[in-house]
Amino acid sequence: MAAVVAQSHHIFGLRTGVNNNLLFFDEHTVVFPCGNNCVRYDLDQACQSFIPGTERSQSMQAMAISANRRYLAVAEHKEKATITIYDLQHEQSRRRKVLTGGELPVREFVCMAFSPDSKYLIGQAGGPEWTLFYWVWEKHKIMATVKTTSTGPSTSFCPQDNMQICVSGNGLFKIFRYTEGALKQTNSVKMEQHNILSHAWMSKERIIAGTETGRLLVFESGDQRGSLSVTSKPSTQERKSEDTSSSPALLPRVTAISPYSKGFACSAGPGTVCLFEKTEEKDSYKKNREIKIPPDPCFNDPTQAEQQEISTLCISPSEETLAASTDRGQSNYPTPLCFTAVFLGSKYALSGGVLVCCSALELYKEFQEESYSVALHPSGLFILVGFSDKIRLMNLLIDDIRAFKEFTVRGCRECAFSHGGHMFAAVNGNVIHIYSTTTFENVLNLKGHNGKVRSMAWSADDSRLVSCGMDGAVYEWNALSGKRESESVLKTCSYTGLTLSPDNKTIFAVGSDCTLKEIQDCQILREMASDDAAYTTIAMTHSGRALFTGTAFGTVRAIKYPLPLQKDWTEYQAHSAPITKMVVTFDDQFLLTVSEDGCLLIWKIIDKEGRALKREKEMSYAEEILITKSDLEEKNQFMLELKTRVDELKMENEYQLRLKDMNYNEKIRELTEEFIQQIESLKTENQVLKTEKEKQAVTHKEDLTFAESNNNQKLMLEYDKYHELQLKSQQMQESYEEKLQQLEDSKVHALEKLTQFYEAKIQEKVSALGQCQDETRQQLREFEETIKLTEEDGDRELQDIRIRYENKLRKEKETNIKHEDEIRVMKKKHDSLQRELKNKDLEIDKLKLEQNKLEGIIKSLEKDILVLKREVQKRDVTINDKEKNIYDLNSKNQELEKFKFVLDYKITELKKQIEPRENVIKEMKEQTQEMEGELAQFQQKNTQLELTIADLKLKLKATDKEMHKEMQRVRNVEALVRRIKTDLHNCVGFIQEPKKLKDSIRTLYERYVQQSDVVEIVGVDADIQRENSRQKEHLERNVASLKRKLSNDTNVHQAYKVKTMKENAFLIKEINDLRKELRLIRAQLHNYETQEGLSKKNKCKSEVLSPSLKFEEEAERIIQFQRVEIQRLRQELQNLALSTPSSSTKLPTIIT
């Protein structure tokens, strides 16, 4: 896997030729095909997410989205036709199912549709069979198939019934219903005169279909009920075309219909959409609005928008937005309420690159001539474009692209600015022209290629230019002298692209042999095969971490650099056609690819962890832009006018605000007075209501007392009634209990009688069963005897049949053996014929390839011939003009010959006067030559003196540095001594307190003994550096003499060198051991001092300090001895280094 990952960021373009190539996913997101991807585009945030197509997909035919906006179906053709279903609610649009035609051979699916509940899917296969498939797609099961027999049909489900399907096409309108495991036609309408281009369901029974002649046919229950016209008033020409169908191209074609709740929208010819709404009269439809595609401000011709034919219409889920796509790869979003349009993308793009910023079109310029190549200046302020007859250098202004210089280079297919921007290279056939961008002069013409130059690249320092061509040659040119520095020729390969590594030492080239070549020093170091995918272009990151290649299948491959030994790359689905160019941005953040399918794809370059590539240094981007003086003055004037207008508006607004404040204050006063009056009236009403409330409370109390007395009397009466009813219920219970006992007695008697009756019946049935069993036994015996007889007869017949068939088998085996022999002979003949056919197929393929190459060469030669013919015509005109000029000049020459004789005489006289002056000039020249010789000698002396001065300056700098270091060292030592003195003075203060004195001395020891070690180490390092600098100066002087002696002294001094190296290693080990011992002794002394301090607490200051002073003296003596030993060893090492060459063996490190 490559360490660098390319992630799809944004794409420009729309893939045409796909049925339903524009769909709404939600209110603010549309789905459309572009390249080999399906793009989800958020209209509000202007961001995209990608659904990659299948690998090596040859074409995309149709798209469909389910009714719940969750599933997307895409029909593609690889080895066979497939339908892939994606889950759009999943974050990465996970692939759910892949449907095929099963055992039936299907080349392509031309249209599809989901059922209303999204469980079923129908797909219309292409010719010659034109089979309609009906799937339960989640189970990958084909429910039914039927042949529709039409060209270019469209299919759809009934929105209220999963089992009802409509199919329309040229002379075709059929409604099928799924019953009893098959699709059966339910209508019989003859539509031979009409070519139906689209249809839509309006209800369970009603369908509206659009025809090629601009008519809308209304069908009810499968039969035609009426028709509508998309034009307001049909003319006589339309009526004649409806009757005869002689000129359908003059009438508006209804290529798309989309229904919504109030009616439907349909296309009405080029660049027009009509909206029809229901009327109250018999469910008919009336045209309400007509929408035109708005003119594109980028086009010079505003009528181009009106010439685009609409291919797809779709309405958002809330029915607020209508989206349309055209046959020229353009999408528009007009809303039915306010008729606004938003430009999504265009198929128009230059072959070499496009000026874009994030996801918006920044600049656009249309030319009358076809552009072949483009290059952007490193400053971003200029652009170079190659046309058929010339190259134009243009300024990128704030709102325009204007040419300011033209160069006569015809048919430039490749151009490139140098990294510094001071030069640019342009290709004309097999010649590379290099021009200066400052003087506009033709600096060099690089000639050497035998075929057309397909690609070129500048080195990082612009000193070299590398080119490759169709002749299989890769040349490296010197951009200053124009000489060819290196070459690599491989005639079997036609190169199409190349790039340089960041160090400019390695060239990577791709061509027609399906390999990636690494070329260095005129030799192909490595070749990486591409597995039958021809590379068309190549690009490399400026950091040199990865290579990107484009293939003929439209895929992009990321390859790790340095190239791996095995085939290792990451392949991304990108375009639907071969990639023509790819470029990495200067900051290694984005990769741009363009293809023959007219799409521009921007990739984001990241690492495996999803982070952007690290930059070696931060980039600072310029914010300046170019603008003409007139435009700037106009804008400044416009700004001044706007400012004055703003001031005027402010004054007007302030005046109006004051007037409004006055009016509002008066109104507030009036309202406050009204409210005060209302408050007073409400207070009076409130007092009246309070008095009424008090009266009503008194009356309510009186009513309550009266009601209580009445209710008590009623309760007494009800209580008496309750006692009477209780007595009656007791009497009723006693009577019902007596009746129940009587009924139980009667039931017991009846049960006894019934049991006796049924027992008698059971005994009779048992006796009858015994008789039946005896009869069945007799019948079984008779049946067994008959079975035995039939079996014996069957065995006899079987034996006869066996004998017959065995005889037949023997005869058939003999015949089979004969046939097998014949089959073997025929197989051998068949194999030999197949081999011959394969060989012939290979020869045919080779001949086809050669034919394609020859056709390409012929086309290019024909273009060259046309160009040359134009040049010949121009030259004939110029020749005629020149002949006239020659005639005039001959007449002038005759007159001038007359003057010649007079002038000759004057010349002779002047020569006589010139001779003495020429002698003087010769003498002056000799003097100047002598002076020049003296000047050269003085210059040599000056150079020598300058060299000596430079050496002396370097030595002075070195001595100054050493002096500063020594002074700094002295200052540090003095500061340390001051610190020790102050700390000692502080310690003297604790002379009466032994514990504090001991602690302070311990801290002194820990503080200054370790720092002195560090100071010693620093001093040793400084000594080593000084010795190193002295040795370096000495070695630089003696390098020349040592190089001469080196070849003779190696064999002599080898043994001595090894011996001395061993001794040095042994000595360094001893030094390390001594230092370890010294550290151990110091630790022991420190422990001893601590123990002694604890035992002798009451001793005086001199007794405490004596062992530490003795230890310090011993340590200093040991260190001085080691320093003398190290200096001696270093001197010996210097002598050895001077006498012996350096060895590959390493000495052990000195432990400090």
Side-chain angles (χ1 to χ4, degrees):
M1 296 293 289
V4 175
V5 179
Q7 184 180 4
S8 302
H9 181 65
H10 205 90
I11 194 165
F12 291 88
L14 178 69
R15 188 169 180 174
T16 56
V18 180
N19 193 4
N20 287 335
N21 61 355
L22 188 62
L23 303 167
F24 266 104
F25 170 58
D26 56 27
E27 190 62 29
H28 305 288
T29 308
V30 292
V31 181
F32 60 89
C34 189
N36 198 23
N37 300 284
C38 290
V39 183
R40 292 169 61 175
Y41 181 64
D42 193 325
L43 300 173
D44 291 340
Q45 299 179 1
C47 62
Q48 294 179 347
S49 60
F50 296 83
I51 305 169
T54 56
E55 295 182 1
R56 304 290 175 91
S57 175
Q58 296 178 6
S59 61
M60 189 184 294
Q61 285 85 20
M63 291 171 62
I65 195 166
S66 59
N68 59 5
R69 310 284 176 178
R70 179 174 180 178
Y71 302 109
L72 175 71
V74 181
E76 295 175 292
H77 176 63
K78 191 177 177 184
E79 295 175 355
K80 59 180 180 179
T82 59
I83 296 174
T84 309
I85 297 172
Y86 299 93
D87 188 352
L88 295 177
Q89 290 186 359
H90 194 267
E91 288 182 1
Q92 297 178 352
S93 300
R94 183 168 59 88
R95 185 181 295 181
R96 290 291 298 271
K97 293 289 181 182
V98 178
L99 307 178
T100 61
E103 297 178 355
L104 296 174
V106 180
R107 293 180 182 177
E108 60 179 1
F109 288 102
V110 295
C111 58
M112 301 173 296
F114 278 98
S115 62
D117 59 359
S118 306
K119 291 181 180 179
Y120 302 97
L121 180 74
I122 54 172
Q124 177 66 59
E129 298 295 331
W130 300 102
T131 306
L132 181 68
F133 291 85
Y134 186 81
W135 286 283
V136 181
W137 64 269
E138 289 184 343
K139 297 180 181 178
H140 203 285
K141 183 181 178 182
I142 299 174
M143 301 290 287
T145 58
V146 66
K147 292 184 179 180
T148 56
T149 62
S150 175
T151 57
S154 60
T155 58
S156 63
F157 269 103
C158 177
Q160 286 84 23
D161 190 357
N162 290 337
M163 304 300 165
Q164 201 166 357
I165 299 162
C166 177
V167 181
S168 64
N170 190 1
L172 171 71
F173 184 83
K174 293 181 180 180
I175 296 175
F176 294 94
R177 190 169 187 84
Y178 179 75
T179 53
E180 298 177 359
L183 289 169
K184 296 181 180 179
Q185 188 175 350
T186 59
N187 70 328
S188 58
V189 180
K190 292 182 180 180
M191 304 295 294
E192 295 175 358
Q193 295 180 356
H194 297 283
N195 181 11
I196 298 174
L197 301 177
S198 58
H199 72 268
W201 291 81
M202 303 307 297
S203 63
K204 191 174 181 180
E205 301 294 333
R206 180 175 295 177
I207 301 171
I208 290 180
T211 65
E212 191 177 18
T213 58
R215 302 295 294 176
L216 294 170
L217 307 178
V218 183
F219 293 91
E220 290 276 353
S221 301
D223 298 325
Q224 186 178 351
R225 300 295 185 188
S227 66
L228 301 169
S229 176
V230 295
T231 56
S232 57
K233 291 182 179 180
S235 61
T236 55
Q237 291 180 355
E238 289 180 4
R239 290 167 187 160
K240 289 178 183 177
S241 62
E242 287 175 18
D243 298 333
T244 60
S245 299
S246 60
S247 60
L250 299 173
L251 297 171
R253 289 156 48 93
V254 184
T255 55
I257 301 174
S258 182
Y260 64 102
S261 58
K262 293 182 181 180
F264 63 90
C266 67
S267 63
T272 307
V273 177
C274 292
L275 298 177
F276 285 83
E277 291 186 359
K278 290 180 184 177
T279 58
E280 296 178 357
E281 298 176 359
K282 297 180 181 180
D283 292 335
S284 62
Y285 296 92
K286 182 181 179 182
K287 188 165 82 168
N288 187 19
R289 293 174 181 172
E290 189 173 284
I291 304 170
K292 295 281 186 180
I293 294 177
D296 196 336
C298 295
F299 293 126
N300 293 334
D301 187 6
T303 60
Q304 286 190 3
E306 299 175 359
Q307 297 172 4
Q308 300 182 37
E309 188 171 19
I310 293 168
S311 57
T312 305
L313 288 173
C314 61
I315 296 173
S316 64
S318 64
E319 297 184 355
E320 291 182 359
T321 308
L322 173 69
S325 67
T326 65
D327 58 347
R328 297 188 185 180
Q330 187 171 340
S331 298
N332 290 281
Y333 302 96
T335 58
L337 299 175
C338 57
F339 314 110
T340 59
V342 180
F343 179 72
L344 172 67
S346 176
K347 194 173 178 179
Y348 301 99
L350 297 174
S351 61
V354 176
L355 292 174
V356 294
C357 177
C358 202
S359 60
L361 188 67
E362 287 287 332
L363 284 175
Y364 184 90
K365 180 81 175 214
E366 190 177 3
F367 298 95
Q368 298 297 326
E369 308 162 58
E370 184 181 0
S371 56
Y372 295 139
S373 60
V374 68
L376 192 65
H377 194 269
S379 66
L381 301 176
F382 310 103
I383 192 170
L384 187 70
V385 183
F387 295 95
S388 60
D389 58 343
K390 63 189 73 174
I391 289 179
R392 293 177 183 171
L393 187 62
M394 304 185 217
N395 285 323
L396 294 176
L397 303 177
I398 188 171
D399 55 359
D400 194 11
I401 302 173
R402 293 184 188 176
F404 68 92
K405 184 64 178 176
E406 293 181 352
F407 304 92
T408 57
V409 179
R410 297 178 181 276
C412 178
R413 297 277 178 180
E414 187 73 21
C415 60
F417 278 101
S418 62
H419 292 92
H422 60 288
M423 290 188 293
F424 69 85
V427 174
N428 181 10
N430 57 358
V431 180
I432 302 171
H433 303 282
I434 297 178
Y435 288 88
S436 172
T437 53
T438 54
T439 61
F440 308 120
E441 292 179 357
N442 188 0
V443 180
L444 290 172
N445 292 321
L446 306 179
K447 297 179 181 179
H449 283 282
N450 295 324
K452 289 188 175 182
V453 178
R454 292 296 302 275
S455 181
M456 57 186 176
W458 288 88
S459 63
D461 58 356
D462 294 334
S463 62
R464 292 180 296 161
L465 180 71
V466 182
S467 63
C468 68
M470 298 294 289
D471 55 354
V474 176
Y475 293 146
E476 188 176 355
W477 309 86
N478 190 327
L480 301 174
S481 62
K483 292 180 180 179
R484 192 190 304 165
E485 292 187 350
S486 64
E487 62 181 16
S488 175
V489 181
L490 186 66
K491 292 185 178 180
T492 57
C493 175
S494 296
Y495 289 110
T496 56
L498 62 79
T499 188
L500 278 169
S501 62
D503 58 0
N504 301 321
K505 293 180 180 179
T506 309
I507 303 167
F508 299 95
V510 294
S512 60
D513 59 352
C514 300
T515 58
L516 169 63
K517 295 177 180 63
E518 185 179 359
I519 303 168
Q520 192 171 357
D521 296 332
C522 307
Q523 293 181 356
I524 298 172
L525 296 181
R526 193 177 301 168
E527 290 187 3
M528 182 184 282
S530 62
D531 293 339
D532 300 330
Y535 289 134
T536 55
T537 184
I538 187 169
M540 191 175 195
T541 58
H542 294 88
S543 61
R545 290 181 61 183
L547 281 164
F548 295 100
T549 58
T551 66
F553 296 116
T555 59
V556 173
R557 289 181 179 177
I559 304 169
K560 191 177 179 181
Y561 179 74
L563 295 178
L565 297 173
Q566 297 179 353
K567 298 176 183 177
D568 186 11
W569 58 67
T570 306
E571 191 167 15
Y572 305 98
Q573 300 299 315
H575 297 277
S576 60
I579 295 172
T580 55
K581 281 289 177 185
M582 64 190 335
V583 179
V584 178
T585 57
F586 189 73
D587 55 358
D588 282 348
Q589 297 300 306
F590 297 98
L591 171 72
L592 282 71
T593 59
V594 290
S595 172
E596 291 179 3
D597 59 2
C599 297
L600 166 66
L601 183 56
I602 302 172
W603 305 79
K604 193 172 184 180
I605 302 173
I606 55 175
D607 56 11
K608 284 183 178 179
E609 296 176 357
R611 296 176 298 185
L613 296 183
K614 292 182 179 179
R615 305 175 186 175
E616 294 179 359
K617 56 182 181 179
E618 292 186 0
M619 304 289 296
S620 59
Y621 298 99
E623 296 181 355
E624 292 80 9
I625 54 170
L626 294 179
I627 186 168
T628 59
K629 188 178 179 181
S630 59
D631 292 342
L632 185 63
E633 288 174 353
E634 286 177 3
K635 288 185 177 180
N636 289 331
Q637 186 65 32
F638 185 64
M639 285 172 70
L640 288 170
E641 290 175 358
L642 288 172
K643 282 180 181 178
T644 54
R645 180 64 179 160
V646 166
D647 294 334
E648 290 174 359
L649 289 169
K650 281 182 179 178
M651 294 291 288
E652 288 178 3
N653 288 328
E654 287 175 358
Y655 179 69
Q656 289 177 359
L657 284 168
R658 287 174 186 172
L659 289 174
K660 286 179 180 178
D661 289 336
M662 295 289 287
N663 294 326
Y664 287 137
N665 289 326
E666 290 177 359
K667 287 180 180 179
I668 288 164
R669 287 173 188 170
E670 292 174 358
L671 288 168
T672 49
E673 290 173 357
E674 289 177 1
F675 284 131
I676 289 164
Q677 291 174 1
Q678 288 178 2
I679 288 162
E680 290 176 353
S681 63
L682 288 168
K683 283 180 180 178
T684 54
E685 287 177 1
N686 193 7
Q687 289 176 357
V688 172
L689 289 168
K690 280 182 181 179
T691 54
E692 288 179 357
K693 183 184 174 184
E694 290 172 355
K695 291 177 182 178
Q696 286 178 0
V698 172
T699 54
H700 183 66
K701 283 180 182 179
E702 292 175 355
D703 293 335
L704 277 171
T705 53
F706 181 73
E708 283 178 359
S709 60
N710 290 329
N711 286 326
N712 288 327
Q713 292 175 1
K714 288 179 180 178
L715 280 169
M716 294 295 290
L717 293 170
E718 292 291 332
Y719 185 71
D720 295 335
K721 287 179 183 178
Y722 176 71
H723 278 291
E724 291 176 358
L725 290 169
Q726 273 187 343
L727 293 169
K728 287 181 181 178
S729 64
Q730 287 177 359
Q731 293 174 1
M732 293 287 285
Q733 281 181 355
E734 290 174 356
S735 63
Y736 279 124
E737 285 176 355
E738 290 175 356
K739 288 179 182 178
L740 283 168
Q741 286 178 356
Q742 292 175 1
L743 287 167
E744 284 178 355
D745 295 334
S746 63
K747 281 181 183 178
V748 169
H749 291 299
L751 281 167
E752 288 176 353
K753 289 179 182 178
L754 287 168
T755 51
Q756 291 174 1
F757 177 72
Y758 282 113
E759 281 176 356
K761 280 188 176 182
I762 286 163
Q763 288 177 358
E764 291 176 358
K765 294 285 183 183
V766 169
S767 61
L769 275 168
Q771 292 176 0
C772 290
Q773 285 176 357
D774 295 332
E775 290 176 358
T776 52
R777 285 169 189 167
Q778 291 178 359
Q779 287 177 358
L780 281 168
R781 290 170 189 167
E782 293 174 357
F783 184 67
E784 285 174 355
E785 290 176 357
T786 53
I787 286 168
K788 286 178 182 177
L789 293 169
T790 52
E791 285 178 352
E792 289 174 357
D793 295 332
D795 291 335
R796 289 171 190 166
E797 289 177 358
L798 283 168
Q799 286 177 358
D800 296 333
I801 290 163
R802 264 184 206 163
I803 293 162
R804 289 177 194 167
Y805 280 109
E806 282 176 358
N807 293 325
K808 286 182 180 179
L809 274 168
R810 286 171 190 167
K811 292 177 182 177
E812 286 180 356
K813 283 180 181 178
E814 291 173 357
T815 54
N816 282 330
I817 290 162
K818 291 178 183 177
H819 287 306
E820 282 176 359
D821 295 332
E822 291 176 357
I823 286 162
R824 286 171 188 167
V825 175
M826 294 299 288
K827 276 185 179 178
K828 289 178 180 177
K829 290 180 180 177
H830 182 68
D831 292 334
S832 62
L833 288 168
Q834 278 186 343
R835 287 171 192 164
E836 290 177 359
L837 283 168
K838 286 179 180 176
N839 293 327
K840 287 181 178 178
D841 289 334
L842 290 170
E843 289 176 359
I844 288 162
D845 292 333
K846 287 179 181 177
L847 291 168
K848 282 181 178 178
L849 287 169
E850 290 177 359
Q851 186 181 356
N852 291 329
K853 287 180 181 178
L854 291 168
E855 284 177 354
I857 292 163
I858 288 162
K859 287 178 181 177
S860 62
L861 290 170
E862 285 176 352
K863 289 180 181 177
D864 293 337
I865 287 161
L866 289 169
V867 172
L868 290 168
K869 281 181 179 178
R870 290 172 187 167
E871 287 181 357
V872 167
Q873 289 176 358
K874 290 178 181 178
R875 286 179 182 176
D876 288 336
V877 175
T878 54
I879 286 162
N880 291 324
D881 295 333
K882 285 178 180 179
E883 283 179 353
K884 291 177 181 177
N885 291 328
I886 288 162
Y887 179 75
D888 295 332
L889 289 169
N890 285 326
S891 60
K892 287 180 180 179
N893 279 330
Q894 288 176 2
E895 294 176 358
L896 290 168
E897 281 176 358
K898 294 176 183 178
F899 293 106
K900 189 180 177 183
F901 179 75
V902 177
L903 291 169
D904 287 335
Y905 179 72
K906 289 181 179 179
I907 286 162
T908 52
E909 290 179 353
L910 289 167
K911 278 180 180 179
K912 290 174 183 178
Q913 295 175 2
I914 287 163
E915 284 176 0
R917 292 182 181 179
E918 285 180 351
N919 294 326
V920 175
I921 288 162
K922 283 178 183 178
E923 289 175 359
M924 295 296 285
K925 280 182 180 179
E926 289 173 357
Q927 288 179 0
T928 51
Q929 286 175 0
E930 290 174 358
M931 294 292 284
E932 284 176 356
E934 291 176 358
L935 227 166
Q937 290 176 1
F938 283 122
Q939 283 177 353
Q940 289 176 359
K941 288 178 182 178
N942 283 328
T943 51
Q944 289 175 359
L945 291 168
E946 283 174 357
L947 290 169
T948 54
I949 287 160
D951 294 332
L952 291 169
K953 281 181 179 177
L954 290 169
K955 288 178 181 177
L956 261 172
K957 285 179 182 177
T959 53
D960 287 336
K961 286 180 182 176
E962 289 178 1
M963 187 179 74
H964 286 302
K965 285 179 183 176
E966 290 294 330
M967 289 172 75
Q968 187 65 36
R969 187 179 173 189
V970 169
R971 286 184 199 127
N972 292 332
V973 170
E974 287 176 353
L976 196 141
V977 169
R978 284 193 208 108
R979 272 185 258 149
I980 290 167
K981 284 179 180 179
T982 53
D983 290 336
L984 280 170
H985 183 70
N986 293 327
C987 288
V988 171
F990 301 110
I991 198 162
Q992 299 298 326
E993 298 175 358
K995 285 185 181 179
K996 290 183 179 179
L997 184 65
K998 182 185 172 183
D999 293 333
S1000 62
I1001 288 164
R1002 189 180 291 166
T1003 52
L1004 273 172
Y1005 179 80
E1006 288 174 355
R1007 190 183 298 165
Y1008 293 109
V1009 170
Q1010 292 174 359
Q1011 287 180 359
S1012 64
D1013 290 341
V1014 173
V1015 170
E1016 286 174 6
I1017 292 160
V1018 171
V1020 171
D1021 292 337
D1023 292 335
I1024 290 163
Q1025 287 176 0
R1026 288 194 209 98
E1027 291 294 329
N1028 190 12
S1029 63
R1030 289 170 191 168
Q1031 288 175 7
K1032 187 176 179 183
E1033 288 175 359
H1034 184 68
L1035 288 168
E1036 283 175 354
R1037 291 168 191 163
N1038 296 328
V1039 162
S1041 62
L1042 286 170
K1043 282 183 179 177
R1044 293 193 205 99
K1045 293 177 182 178
L1046 195 138
S1047 60
N1048 298 322
D1049 294 341
T1050 49
N1051 296 323
V1052 177
H1053 295 288
Q1054 191 69 31
Y1056 183 72
K1057 182 183 71 174
V1058 173
K1059 184 180 177 182
T1060 52
M1061 292 297 287
K1062 287 178 180 177
E1063 289 176 357
N1064 288 331
F1066 181 73
L1067 289 168
I1068 288 165
K1069 285 180 183 177
E1070 283 183 353
I1071 290 163
N1072 293 332
D1073 295 334
L1074 287 168
R1075 287 190 176 179
K1076 287 178 183 176
E1077 287 175 3
L1078 198 146
R1079 286 178 185 171
L1080 290 169
I1081 289 161
R1082 282 180 180 173
Q1084 288 174 3
L1085 282 168
H1086 184 66
N1087 294 327
Y1088 176 72
E1089 281 179 0
T1090 54
Q1091 289 174 5
E1092 195 174 8
L1094 290 168
S1095 62
K1096 297 178 182 179
K1097 292 181 181 178
N1098 298 320
K1099 285 186 179 182
C1100 63
K1101 180 181 175 182
S1102 60
E1103 289 176 352
V1104 175
L1105 291 169
S1106 61
S1108 64
L1109 292 168
K1110 287 176 184 178
F1111 165 71
E1112 286 177 359
E1113 288 173 359
E1114 287 177 0
E1116 284 176 358
R1117 267 189 259 119
I1118 292 163
I1119 289 161
Q1120 286 176 0
F1121 178 76
Q1122 286 180 352
R1123 283 179 181 172
V1124 172
E1125 189 67 21
I1126 287 161
Q1127 286 178 359
R1128 186 179 64 77
L1129 292 169
R1130 281 177 183 160
Q1131 192 65 35
E1132 288 180 4
L1133 283 168
Q1134 287 176 6
N1135 296 329
L1136 288 168
L1138 291 169
S1139 60
T1140 59
S1142 62
S1143 174
S1144 61
T1145 58
K1146 290 183 179 179
L1147 293 172
T1149 57
I1150 296 170
I1151 298 169
T1152 57

